[in-house]
Amino acid sequence: MINQERKNYILKEISERGAVSVNELTKKLGASESTIRRDLIELSKKGIINKVHGGATVKKNQYLSFEADVRERVMENIDEKKKIASYCATQINDDDFVYLDAGTTTFYMIDFINPQCRATFVTNGIGHALELLRKGFKVYVLGGELKKTTEAVVGLMAARNIHDFNFTKAFIGTNGISETRGFTTPDTEEAFVKAAAVENSFVSYVIADSTKFGKIFSVRFASIDTACIITDKEPEESYKNKTVIKVIN
């Protein structure tokens, strides 16, 4: 397992369980104690986790600035993402004009959309557009800068394209969800597009597995009360006082 994959696994374990021990991680990852301790120290220095004796614990609010490559993220939390994607696909009707944000969970949605559905789709995801087209759906692609790590069209040009549309429903991915800082992403250019999609949609769904709660990235694209959150586990009760949350078990 390469360095970044190992760290992503460690973050996933800490996010889901709240705390992990060095001993547990060495057994699961097949790495030495010194390697795991070094990983924990590096993550702790970045402010992502709390390093404690014998292991690490989650921070209530994780302030993050990095983003994994889309080819790495597509392999993370697959079962949870597919459950969320399956539910979201059922929310699409024939008369909908849908914005489908670039992202791994939104990509999984395409497999679950009724093949006979006559909805029209707009997306900034290159892979999403090709898959929608392959399945016979009507699809429009935004113009703008193509971002390598997410394979998404981003930036002001793409955001201006969105302002020409009035979506009935938008399905938006996010890197972080915070009660106080809302929905966040590490990329300003990507945030422009997400913010425009939320603003120009009658109903917005932010779709995110439970590991995204409590994480804060550098750019906010919407406040938490602007969208319904679709997730796989119950978040803290305080989140439910801020917006509508649908949990897919």
Side-chain angles (χ1 to χ4, degrees):
M1 183 177 289
I2 65 174
N3 184 39
Q4 190 57 55
E5 288 179 338
R6 192 174 61 248
K7 288 178 181 175
N8 286 341
Y9 180 87
I10 292 171
L11 287 175
K12 176 177 177 291
E13 286 290 294
I14 294 174
S15 296
E16 291 182 352
R17 298 170 51 196
V20 291
S21 70
V22 172
N23 187 47
E24 289 173 318
L25 291 172
T26 55
K27 289 179 180 178
K28 289 184 177 181
L29 293 171
S32 66
E33 284 194 12
S34 61
T35 296
I36 297 300
R37 290 184 192 281
R38 185 174 64 249
D39 287 343
L40 295 180
I41 290 170
E42 289 179 12
L43 293 172
S44 177
K45 286 180 177 178
K46 290 181 179 180
I48 300 172
I49 63 170
N50 289 319
K51 175 73 174 69
V52 297
H53 181 70
T57 61
V58 69
K59 283 193 171 185
K60 182 175 176 57
N61 285 312
Q62 298 180 38
Y63 290 84
L64 308 172
S65 59
F66 70 93
E67 181 176 31
D69 186 274
V70 66
R71 291 174 180 81
E72 294 178 12
R73 290 188 291 111
V74 76
M75 300 306 296
E76 297 174 352
N77 308 314
I78 294 176
D79 291 341
E80 293 86 348
K81 289 177 178 179
K82 286 188 175 182
K83 287 177 183 178
I84 294 169
S86 176
Y87 171 81
C88 288
T90 66
Q91 302 306 297
I92 299 175
N93 302 314
D94 284 346
D95 58 350
D96 276 327
F97 189 52
V98 178
Y99 178 74
L100 201 61
D101 191 26
T104 53
T105 309
T106 51
F107 186 82
Y108 285 131
M109 278 180 62
I110 300 171
D111 278 341
F112 296 103
I113 299 172
N114 185 336
Q116 306 305 315
C117 180
R118 296 193 299 273
T120 298
F121 297 87
V122 177
T123 184
N124 69 325
I126 300 301
H128 297 56
L130 291 172
E131 187 67 8
L132 286 164
L133 189 65
R134 189 183 72 80
K135 290 182 176 291
F137 297 116
K138 186 175 182 179
V139 56
Y140 293 91
V141 184
L142 299 180
E145 178 190 353
L146 183 60
K147 183 179 176 183
K148 182 179 179 180
T149 55
T150 58
E151 298 179 356
V153 178
V154 300
L156 285 173
M157 185 183 295
R160 290 193 186 105
N161 281 176
I162 285 181
H163 285 296
D164 292 330
F165 299 118
N166 294 305
F167 304 114
T168 55
K169 292 167 186 170
F171 297 88
I172 312 292
T174 188
N175 297 83
I177 303 174
S178 164
E179 298 172 59
T180 56
R181 301 308 301 156
F183 304 113
T184 56
T185 178
D187 189 301
T188 301
E189 301 296 300
E190 205 161 279
F192 285 142
V193 179
K194 293 177 184 290
V198 172
E199 182 181 344
N200 288 275
S201 180
F202 182 70
V203 177
S204 295
Y205 300 91
V206 166
I207 56 180
D209 62 79
S210 56
T211 63
K212 305 295 178 62
F213 285 91
K215 292 181 178 178
I216 301 172
F217 284 79
S218 52
V219 188
R220 181 172 72 166
F221 63 86
S223 59
I224 197 170
D225 61 349
T226 57
C228 172
I229 300 174
I230 312 297
T231 189
D232 61 297
K233 291 181 182 177
E234 292 281 351
E236 294 179 13
E237 190 67 28
S238 54
Y239 281 98
K240 298 177 184 178
N241 299 325
K242 303 287 185 179
T243 191
V244 176
I245 297 176
K246 175 69 176 179
V247 179
I248 311 301
N249 296 314

